[in-house]
Amino acid sequence: MDIAQELLNGNRLALTRAITAIENETDVAVEIMKKLYPHTGHAFVLGITGPPGAGKSTLTDRLARAYRNQGKTVGIIAIDPTSPFTGGAILGDRIRMNSLTLDEGVFIRSMGTRGSLGGLSHKTADAIKAMDAFGKDVIIVETVGVGQSEVDIVKAADTTMVVMVPGLGDDIQAIKAGILEIGDIFTINKADLDGADKLYTELNMMLDLDGETPDWRPPVKKVMASRGEGINELVDTITEHQNYLVESGTLAIRRHKRAKNELLDRLSASIGSYITKHIVETGELDAYVKDIETRQNDPYTVVNTIMDNMLKK
């Protein structure tokens, strides 16, 4: 099977196999992505992040249904914790979205973090591209929920939504967390719980503190995802931000920065792989370390030597 061509032809099995190849870094993964890349750049990517227990999966499920009611096709990438036994995703989020699995217009894929501390799998960007090339109109990326370090979503999403819920502890501390600096939209889920109004007020106060008047002031929306309340209004807000991104030119700027960062990340990964294969595994690194320890050489000269050798090959 030509996986890339079958994917472009609309074969769901090919999409599954492509993402599996991406996750497992098989020999065919790079060739698949080379063929798919010219067909990417069309989907709108929505990132959903926030602390564990905020109801991100339920909200993702409801948003997907709302987009389907608009006639749009949806791809969902649910970043789950990695199983310590198989190395794969534990699949908790996919289980919570079972109601969508029979819809041919929705494709759900769980991916394990595999050690990534930023809330995203390192292979998420390629999985997004695969769904994009497949023809999905909207791709929702739901992160694993690891708190303040969960900021990598901005590298993948056009619009980033931060989901919070009352009663998770010190609301003021949550508001100070770096995670709130990345949000385009803030959503308070389970808004019927005590403390929702307090959290709503505190979020708005913090968003107004910097004194600037940005073109897009992140709105704070209340929803009850389990009941489907406030979902249509939230979709309207997401659409408003999508329109703002296009009309202001911000979308083009973000995607340019994304392409640049991705290229730098891939260059860094390639250099790391080269060093592992040619320096570490050959024992050359140990020899360098011994010379440094005995002061027969210094780390600065060693780095320059390694880089010079790389450039000559």
Side-chain angles (χ1 to χ4, degrees):
M1 173 192 283
D2 184 336
I3 294 177
Q5 189 56 54
E6 287 296 316
L7 184 154
L8 295 172
N9 291 341
N11 186 326
R12 289 171 64 92
L13 177 59
L15 176 56
T16 298
R17 289 181 175 177
I19 297 177
T20 298
I22 289 165
E23 278 201 283
N24 295 332
E25 299 184 26
T26 63
D27 294 339
V28 300
V30 172
E31 293 306 313
I32 290 172
M33 293 311 302
K34 286 180 180 179
K35 293 179 181 179
L36 296 183
Y37 194 82
H39 304 275
T40 62
H42 306 292
F44 168 67
V45 183
L46 171 65
I48 297 182
T49 188
K56 298 187 296 295
S57 296
T58 303
L59 183 58
T60 297
D61 178 271
R62 293 289 185 172
L63 288 171
R65 293 192 209 181
Y67 281 120
R68 290 296 292 135
N69 289 337
Q70 294 180 357
K72 296 179 179 179
T73 57
V74 180
I76 297 173
I77 299 175
I79 309 299
D80 278 320
T82 299
S83 167
F85 304 105
T86 65
I90 291 178
L91 304 182
D93 287 334
R94 181 185 281 185
I95 292 171
R96 286 188 285 272
M97 298 178 198
N98 266 343
S99 61
L100 295 172
T101 56
L102 297 179
D103 187 340
E104 288 293 318
V106 178
F107 185 93
I108 305 173
R109 179 66 180 232
S110 292
M111 299 180 70
T113 53
R114 302 199 178 192
S116 175
L117 299 179
L120 288 180
S121 163
H122 289 299
K123 303 304 178 183
T124 302
D126 282 347
I128 290 172
K129 292 186 187 74
M131 289 191 181
D132 188 356
F134 188 74
K136 292 303 180 186
D137 299 313
V138 178
I139 299 171
I140 303 175
V141 182
E142 181 209 330
T143 65
V144 68
V146 294
Q148 294 186 25
S149 65
E150 193 175 67
V151 296
D152 279 358
I153 187 64
V154 296
K155 297 179 181 178
D158 297 321
T159 295
T160 299
M161 179 192 301
V162 176
V163 183
M164 303 193 71
V165 65
L168 283 183
D170 188 345
D171 289 340
I172 293 294
Q173 181 58 38
I175 289 170
K176 291 179 181 177
I179 191 174
L180 293 191
E181 298 174 5
I182 66 174
D184 298 305
I185 299 168
F186 295 93
T187 300
I188 299 174
N189 191 20
K190 307 178 185 179
D192 55 330
L193 296 180
D194 290 340
D197 290 340
K198 176 174 177 285
L199 180 57
Y200 177 85
T201 300
E202 290 174 339
L203 280 170
N204 278 296
M205 287 176 60
M206 292 300 295
L207 289 168
D208 289 334
L209 271 183
D210 60 16
E212 297 182 5
T213 54
D215 294 335
W216 176 265
R217 193 277 200 184
V220 181
K221 311 298 291 186
K222 293 181 182 179
V223 303
M224 286 179 273
S226 61
R227 302 180 192 173
E229 296 182 16
I231 299 301
N232 290 334
E233 293 82 357
L234 181 57
V235 171
D236 290 341
T237 300
I238 296 169
T239 301
E240 287 176 17
H241 186 253
Q242 186 178 0
N243 293 336
Y244 158 75
L245 290 174
V246 174
E247 294 167 4
S248 67
T250 305
L251 181 62
I253 294 171
R254 288 188 177 186
R255 291 189 172 181
H256 172 80
K257 186 181 295 185
R258 183 185 309 162
K260 181 178 180 180
N261 289 336
E262 182 179 355
L263 180 58
L264 289 172
D265 287 344
R266 291 187 182 279
L267 283 169
S268 178
S270 294
I271 292 171
S273 296
Y274 175 90
I275 291 174
T276 298
K277 183 177 180 180
H278 296 281
I279 307 297
V280 179
E281 294 178 355
T282 62
E284 189 175 336
L285 181 68
D286 292 331
Y288 283 134
V289 171
K290 185 176 180 180
D291 287 345
I292 292 171
E293 286 179 328
T294 58
R295 299 304 190 271
Q296 295 180 43
N297 208 336
D298 62 83
Y300 318 101
T301 301
V302 167
V303 169
N304 288 335
T305 299
I306 292 173
M307 294 302 297
D308 288 342
N309 291 338
M310 283 178 59
L311 292 173
K312 290 175 183 177
K313 293 183 178 180

